[in-house]
Amino acid sequence: MAAMQFVSCHKDTYPESFAPSIKTGTYSDVYRKGATIYGNISMEDFQIESFGVEYTILTRPGLSIEQYFATAQQVPVDAVDEDGNFSVALENLDPGIIYLYRSYVNSGYTTVYGVDSSFQTPQNTEPVFGEVSIDGITYTSFDISAALADDGGGTIEQMAYIYKEVSDGEKGELTTSTPDIQTLHVKQEEGEQQYTAQIKNLRSGKTYAIRPYAVAHGMGYGDVKYVTTKVSNGTLISECDTSDVG
């Protein structure tokens, strides 16, 4: 769906000289129950009490922007990069809904809003994973846990981890069709959102790529993790960071 834009730069109070600059950015990672929103703020020489993103449901045509945003929820931000860029993860959204959003900043004297934009959450998608974590690394095994953020609107029919040994620095596609992968299916309990397993029978001092997948309406993958097992003298070589692949 193409984003709709409604130009708005409303100030609650004056004078204008106290108004910081705020920009509404794009969005990404939209699924049935969430999305990531981006923005930018100029913090130089301004007193700022709060800033972030606010969002609301596009209910019916004919309302003004301020009428739409009268019931908006605000998600504050507490960190930006050196250029003033920030992102906000919206959660607990409803499927199949058009949401309006915009950035805001409150200086204590003035509240300024960025340009209004919109996105629509899909009705049904593939399953979506949240955090994937690694623990309990030994010479021949490690523990892995993956959180299911959204079942995609269907019943989870299958949940598994795919993994393979990789050479140092090797990065690439890891899917169910990748050559030489191994698969560990995880038994799922009704209503379960966290899937934990132990990967066994590995080689000491070797690096493994691993990621979860689940099947419902479609097949959804989690992030790839790279893990190195301990060497024979008991020294942990490394545990590499998360990398989005595929």
Side-chain angles (χ1 to χ4, degrees):
M1 172 185 171
M4 294 181 293
Q5 293 190 342
F6 308 84
V7 176
S8 172
C9 190
H10 170 72
K11 298 179 176 59
D12 286 337
T13 58
Y14 288 87
E16 289 190 13
S17 58
F18 288 97
S21 172
I22 189 81
K23 295 180 180 179
T24 302
T26 58
Y27 58 86
S28 69
D29 302 326
V30 178
Y31 65 103
R32 292 186 337 121
K33 296 183 179 180
T36 300
I37 306 298
Y38 301 92
N40 178 272
I41 184 171
S42 174
M43 306 182 73
E44 186 176 357
D45 299 329
F46 290 110
Q47 172 185 322
I48 295 176
E49 291 191 352
S50 63
F51 68 97
V53 169
E54 63 178 23
Y55 66 98
T56 187
I57 293 175
L58 180 63
T59 53
R60 63 184 187 275
L63 297 181
S64 69
I65 288 301
E66 296 312 316
Q67 286 176 313
Y68 281 124
F69 279 100
T71 57
Q73 298 184 58
Q74 291 189 338
V75 182
V77 175
D78 55 13
V80 298
D81 68 14
E82 60 183 8
D83 297 317
N85 299 312
F86 61 87
S87 64
V88 171
L90 305 185
E91 300 176 336
N92 301 315
L93 305 182
D94 293 321
I97 298 296
I98 297 175
Y99 285 89
L100 297 176
Y101 71 92
R102 63 185 179 184
S103 299
Y104 73 89
V105 56
N106 182 359
S107 69
Y109 299 96
T110 302
T111 299
V112 178
Y113 300 101
V115 172
D116 314 289
S117 191
S118 68
F119 64 90
Q120 182 170 6
T121 52
Q123 285 282 5
N124 295 306
T125 63
E126 68 277 359
V128 177
F129 283 94
E131 182 181 3
V132 180
S133 58
I134 302 291
D135 197 10
I137 303 171
T138 72
Y139 311 117
T140 60
S141 68
F142 60 84
D143 299 327
I144 185 167
S145 181
L148 189 67
D150 182 22
D151 60 18
T155 300
I156 299 296
E157 300 172 359
Q158 184 182 133
M159 162 67 195
Y161 290 100
I162 51 175
Y163 61 99
K164 66 175 294 186
E165 183 179 318
V166 295
S167 60
D168 290 343
E170 179 183 347
K171 300 284 180 74
E173 188 77 9
L174 186 64
T175 69
T176 54
S177 60
T178 300
D180 303 321
I181 64 164
Q182 299 184 66
T183 303
L184 176 64
H185 292 274
V186 180
K187 182 180 179 181
Q188 58 216 74
E189 302 295 336
E190 185 176 352
E192 185 178 14
Q193 298 297 313
Q194 195 81 20
Y195 296 90
T196 302
Q198 186 177 62
I199 309 301
K200 303 177 181 179
N201 302 319
L202 307 177
R203 296 205 296 163
S204 173
K206 299 298 181 180
T207 300
Y208 292 84
I210 185 168
R211 78 187 309 189
Y213 77 85
V215 178
H217 283 298
M219 178 181 290
Y221 290 95
D223 290 340
V224 175
K225 285 281 191 175
Y226 294 89
V227 186
T228 301
T229 55
K230 293 182 178 180
V231 295
S232 57
N233 64 4
T235 302
L236 176 64
I237 295 178
S238 68
E239 179 184 352
C240 298
D241 226 346
T242 306
S243 176
D244 290 322
V245 180

